[in-house]
Amino acid sequence: MSSSTESPTPSATEEDDAARIGLGQRLGSAQLVTAPYPPLVINEVDADTAGTDTQEFVEIFDGGAGNTPLDGHVLVFFNGGNADNASYETIDLTGYSTNAEGYFVIGNAGVPNVGRVFASNGLQNEAAAVALYRAGAADFGNGTAPTTQGLVDAVVYDTNDGDDADLLAALGQSVQWNEDQNGDKDGHSNARDPGGSGEFLAQAPTPGAPNDAPPPAPATPRQVYISEIQGTPKTQTTASFGDAGTSPLLGQNVTIQGVVTATFPDLKGFFVQEEASDSDGDDQSSEGIFVYAPGGFTPREGYRVSVTGTVDENFGMTQIDDDNGLFSIEVIDDGDNLDLIDVPVIDRSDYGGNEEITALEQFEGMKIAFAQEMVVSEYFELARYGQVTLYESERPYQYTQLNEPDVAGYEAHLDALASKRIILDDGNNFQNAATPDGAIFHPQPDGFGTGTQGVNFFRGGDVIEDLTGVLHWSWAGSRGTDAWRLRPTEADPVEFTPSNLRSDAPEDVGGSLKVGSFNVLNYFTTLDDGTGQTTTGQNPRGAHSAAELQRQTDKIVEALVTMDAQVVGLLEIENDEGAATAALVEALNARLGTDSYAYVDTGIIGTDAIKVALIYDQAQVRPVGDFAILDGSVDPRFLDGANRPALAQTFEEIGTTGTFTAAVNHLKSKGSVANGDVAAGDGAGNNDQIRTDAAEALVDWLATDPTGSGDADYMILGDLNAYAKEDPIDAIIEGADDSIGTEDDYVDLLAAHQGEAAYSYLFDGQLGTLDYALANKSLASQVTGATAWHINADEVPLVDYNDDILDAEERSFEEEPSGNDLYEANAFRASDHDPLVVGLDLAPSFNFVAGHDRFEFLYGTSGRDLIESKGGWLDIVIGGGDADRFVFGDETANGRREREVILGYEAGLDEIDLGGASIRKVRGFGNNLQIELDGDRDMIFLTGVGDIDDVTFLNDEGLAFV
């Protein structure tokens, strides 16, 4: 901004102001008006209105001169919520003027007398400012820091937020005005005192009209019982809050006496409950109330107090506050008087939905207890709002996990859940704010950390017995609605009883071979730090720093090591040429101290930022043939703009020669809508048809043997984003013939081996299986077990890989607080999906022909043979007519030189397993080969092949020619 000689403060006299105007100096691109005119002030600001803020405005006043041009002025909005208090909106006032009475209103379209419109919800509600400058719009682009240069007037305001000292100083102000100073932020604006005090008063808005005079002196308070204030359905009114019970004494000045049951500095108040001796005995009226006392004295729990103030309603919650300026708190007894109150014990399910304001109205503000155990069911909001969702008696399941989709059934399911739910909350209602160091309220008393379950941390499924606290109707976090919540007290802290203990390893699934499926929650080696995009031209989604990536890698690797699966389908891997998968495999091998694991090198698959992948233990299995990809080019029903392309690969278990084909999938989520496939309200969510079409295409594709294996064993792995009773799962179970009960059916292995209690994912406090291993009947008979290892769904996100540094592009609630031990390089909360593990005893695909330690002839069959000689100075081996494998395991290092002659080796069919031995040299004799091995310098003679390149070695990558 160009320099100016204007005064740095808005408090100059009218003479100075007129003189400055007459200077005609330029500020940036704005030409100042040369003719003198009356000084302008910001006369009224209304930043917080009911609902979605459609009545916001800023009023400019010229002192009553009228018709004052506003040319050369801009109105600038500054956001105190930003670190630098930068501007976020600039409104050019050139071409406008005040009306005949001297007012000009800038506001939302529905504001009376508005002269210049800005968008609804356009004014920040937190600590923020509006400022009037002599300048041009170009001088205040978004992101401009506040300044006093060219400043005409400024108002710094808030709605019950702390003072922003930097913003005040930057605009030369000394007071930050609270729009909620009378407890009615939705119904009041900040208006300049018409009496000339220079203060801003909270009053009913008067856009384009004179501000109201100060209110008359309040009426003398009268002594009442809390139950009189709360009222009953017969005495309450509902004019202000729809069906909410509004106090029959609303707006009256009262004095109450009672016992303090809980204090919450973050809520700027405390709860008071009537002594049992003064109860009205009516179950329909509450005996408790919240006292809003910002900045005042806060009494301790158990004190008997007398409180004088005004009866008010705050978003449906009845309270006593300082609305009329007569507020006082007197301590009658500073001892522990909690035994003077009654604490009702209730069954949660006897009352209505947790989001229904009338459900628990008769207990509003009271200390209550629940008769049943309450079970920890949702904890995603713990670091965001300090809240945990509890359900009566047991954890609920998603409706379509146990039931076929149905509109009426789903609605009844949601209603039933709502009546069993309560939110356990601390005293902090800040949304998405960085959690203060060490300040994670649950579990009491020391906050969340590592250590002992139930004391230092809890898991989903842990229980709370005799849950006690004060009942508060308030905002319900990310769900965007108000709800009932229980706030614990010092006298009755919450105790978490472990009921769902951590398991250090998956349940034993048996078998000689294990197969896994693991959604690794956006494993990207391209950092999400705002500096670059992925290979597919999209924003990365994973770790925000190299430190976080290392922590993420360590957790995933620990999970993979403990799973000990020889084939693993991975989901949400960065879609690149292979760097992310390779990095994970490299870390896995480093952790194991071997080079066992490898990955199927697919390169980029599809166009999404993420893809599916396959890793395998090459000491135990080997890929057979090439991989295959299913996308829209293969079957138009498979919409790969929504679903991630499927990956199929056939594997052979080296020890048994058994084979199977793994097909890894990640179908479209239930979140954002694709192709207009919106939820039908039956519980299946968005994109159900897209997932169903993809599932049908998948089983049809696998029926064609896309990898050319010739083997009938198939396993579908991955995140299908559908619960167990939804159409996509039904479509897979029915197989390619779309008919249940036939030979091509698939079996849901987790359901078959774990029953209806199976789950792998938690969403909105409800369990279900989004992750699957489904085997066709041919393979299902070879399955020895299947399990989900609950290391993620049951764990609070606080223990994930995020660190306590707020990196670029990182959301504030992802930053972990310092002060508590949260991160451990273990498998817990490596992702948000639980990994699955399946055990297999594969049927051999070879006929075994075993030799002895002597000279002999070994004959193969007409089928596939595995012919293993056991030594002897000479063996003559004759394969059959199919693909055969010749094994040299025991005889290559037994201390004597031996020879083996393979008659009629068939190039392209037969293969040789050297058992880890290396080839020393090769000699060709026409259509025959002589191969000499290291060690005992054993000899292999092949007839029917004259070039070593025509020989297939099972351990080809391990060959070492000397």
Side-chain angles (χ1 to χ4, degrees), residues 15-276:
E15 291 80 11
D16 288 341
D17 190 83
R20 288 197 307 275
I21 296 169
L23 293 176
Q25 294 181 345
R26 294 182 60 87
L27 178 65
S29 60
Q31 177 67 51
L32 299 183
V33 180
T34 56
Y37 57 82
L40 302 171
V41 295
I42 297 173
N43 200 46
E44 191 172 359
V45 178
D46 195 353
D48 198 347
T49 67
T52 55
D53 285 351
T54 60
Q55 297 291 311
E56 304 165 321
F57 70 92
V58 179
E59 180 190 81
I60 296 173
F61 186 49
D62 66 4
N67 300 313
T68 300
L70 302 177
D71 295 347
H73 290 78
V74 292
L75 188 66
V76 183
F77 301 165
F78 293 102
N79 184 1
N82 290 334
D84 55 1
N85 298 308
S87 64
Y88 63 93
E89 178 76 19
T90 298
I91 298 173
D92 191 348
L93 300 180
T94 298
Y96 298 97
S97 61
T98 61
N99 63 12
E101 289 75 34
Y103 300 99
F104 183 75
V105 178
I106 306 99
N108 302 155
V111 174
N113 302 315
V114 66
R116 166 66 162 81
V117 174
F118 61 81
S120 296
N121 204 24
L123 273 177
Q124 293 288 339
N125 294 343
E126 56 193 355
V130 293
L132 182 66
Y133 288 90
R134 290 190 182 88
D139 298 311
F140 285 93
N142 286 354
T144 302
T147 177
T148 57
Q149 282 198 324
L151 184 66
V152 176
D153 196 10
V155 177
V156 182
Y157 63 85
D158 68 270
T159 49
N160 295 321
D161 301 285
D163 281 0
D164 189 331
D166 292 339
L167 183 59
L168 288 164
L171 292 172
Q173 304 297 302
S174 59
V175 179
Q176 182 171 301
W177 303 103
N178 183 7
E179 189 171 315
D180 194 38
Q181 59 187 275
N182 292 331
D184 189 10
K185 61 185 178 62
D186 286 353
H188 283 176
S189 66
N190 274 317
R192 190 180 293 271
D193 179 10
S197 69
E199 296 183 346
F200 278 80
L201 308 175
Q203 60 154 55
T206 58
N211 297 341
D212 290 340
T220 302
R222 64 187 181 93
Q223 183 87 34
V224 299
Y225 292 114
I226 294 174
S227 57
E228 292 181 66
I229 299 173
Q230 292 287 10
T232 68
K234 293 181 179 179
T235 62
Q236 292 168 343
T237 63
T238 58
S240 298
F241 298 97
D243 293 333
T246 301
S247 170
L249 304 186
L250 181 66
Q252 295 186 25
N253 302 316
V254 298
T255 297
I256 63 165
Q257 289 186 6
V259 177
V260 176
T261 55
T263 63
F264 294 102
D266 287 337
L267 300 180
K268 301 179 182 178
F270 55 94
F271 288 86
V272 177
Q273 189 161 325
E274 198 74 68
E275 299 95 325

Side-chain angles (χ1 to χ4, degrees), residues 693-708:
D693 289 344
E696 291 174 345
L698 175 63
V699 291
D700 290 351
W701 178 62
L702 291 177
T704 68
D705 189 14
T707 62

Side-chain angles (χ1 to χ4, degrees), residues 635-938:
D635 190 324
R637 292 176 297 173
F638 194 96
L639 189 64
D640 54 55
N643 307 293
R644 269 62 57 170
L647 167 64
Q649 175 69 63
T650 301
F651 290 95
E652 178 187 294
E653 184 181 12
I654 295 172
T656 67
T657 73
T659 60
F660 80 102
T661 299
V664 191
N665 305 267
H666 191 185
L667 301 187
K668 180 69 180 85
S669 71
K670 297 174 181 287
S672 60
V673 176
N675 282 18
D677 190 1
V678 298
D682 57 5
N686 295 324
N687 309 306
D688 180 59
Q689 190 60 53
I690 288 175
R691 290 188 293 272
T692 302
D693 289 344
E696 291 174 345
L698 175 63
V699 291
D700 290 351
W701 178 62
L702 291 177
T704 68
D705 189 14
T707 62
S709 68
D711 186 80
D713 297 337
Y714 294 96
M715 185 181 294
I716 294 172
L717 301 168
D719 179 358
L720 302 182
N721 271 310
Y723 295 111
K725 298 296 184 181
E726 294 176 14
D727 290 347
I729 309 305
D730 291 342
I732 292 175
I733 290 174
E734 291 174 355
D737 66 0
D738 302 326
S739 180
I740 196 71
T742 56
E743 284 305 308
D744 74 341
D745 288 358
Y746 281 77
V747 176
D748 180 349
L749 299 177
L750 200 58
H753 290 267
Q754 301 292 321
E756 285 194 338
Y759 65 92
S760 68
Y761 191 69
L762 176 75
F763 179 75
D764 198 20
Q766 302 169 64
L767 300 170
T769 51
L770 293 182
D771 307 272
Y772 291 88
L774 298 114
N776 66 344
K777 279 192 173 181
S778 174
L779 182 59
S781 63
Q782 303 167 66
V783 172
T784 57
T787 190
W789 186 23
H790 299 310
I791 56 173
N792 297 321
D794 294 341
E795 295 286 337
V796 175
L798 275 168
V799 298
D800 67 12
Y801 66 81
N802 284 289
D803 58 22
D804 59 2
I805 298 172
L806 186 61
D807 301 297
E809 304 298 315
E810 187 170 20
R811 292 174 293 182
S812 59
F813 68 86
E814 292 179 313
E815 175 196 359
E816 291 179 357
S818 302
N820 288 350
D821 294 326
L822 292 169
Y823 175 78
E824 293 179 295
N826 57 25
F828 296 102
R829 201 63 189 188
S831 174
D832 55 346
H833 291 247
D834 290 330
L836 308 188
V837 183
V838 176
L840 295 176
D841 271 336
L842 293 175
S845 58
F846 287 86
N847 301 309
F848 284 96
V849 179
H852 306 85
D853 189 11
R854 63 176 185 239
F855 165 73
E856 60 188 331
F857 285 86
L858 297 176
Y859 295 93
T861 70
S862 60
R864 297 188 71 191
D865 300 318
L866 188 149
I867 305 174
E868 183 176 7
S869 60
K870 294 291 186 179
W873 70 275
L874 175 65
D875 289 323
I876 309 297
V877 181
I878 305 170
D882 206 336
D884 300 316
R885 181 184 298 172
F886 306 96
V887 180
F888 297 83
D890 297 336
E891 58 188 301
T892 56
N894 59 4
R896 65 190 183 205
R897 191 174 189 185
E898 296 162 324
R899 291 175 293 176
E900 185 146 334
V901 178
I902 300 175
L903 301 179
Y905 180 90
E906 297 186 64
L909 284 178
D910 295 342
E911 57 192 12
I912 296 176
D913 181 355
L914 295 177
S918 298
I919 295 176
R920 180 178 179 83
K921 64 182 177 181
V922 177
R923 296 177 62 189
F925 303 95
N927 201 31
N928 302 288
L929 283 178
Q930 175 184 299
I931 303 172
E932 181 179 321
L933 304 178
D934 272 345
D936 300 331
R937 302 182 69 178
D938 290 349

Side-chain angles (χ1 to χ4, degrees), residues 253-331:
N253 302 316
V254 298
T255 297
I256 63 165
Q257 289 186 6
V259 177
V260 176
T261 55
T263 63
F264 294 102
D266 287 337
L267 300 180
K268 301 179 182 178
F270 55 94
F271 288 86
V272 177
Q273 189 161 325
E274 198 74 68
E275 299 95 325
S277 59
D278 289 332
S279 168
D280 67 352
D282 188 339
D283 291 341
Q284 296 299 304
S285 64
S286 170
E287 301 290 342
I289 197 165
F290 181 67
V291 177
Y292 180 62
F297 166 70
T298 302
R300 295 183 59 85
E301 281 186 19
Y303 283 13
R304 283 187 65 233
V305 295
S306 173
V307 178
T308 297
T310 306
V311 177
D312 208 345
E313 296 282 349
N314 184 39
F315 290 100
M317 183 77 178
T318 305
Q319 65 182 32
I320 294 177
D321 56 31
D322 192 19
D323 198 30
N324 288 341
L326 292 175
F327 189 74
S328 67
I329 304 170
E330 178 187 353
V331 176

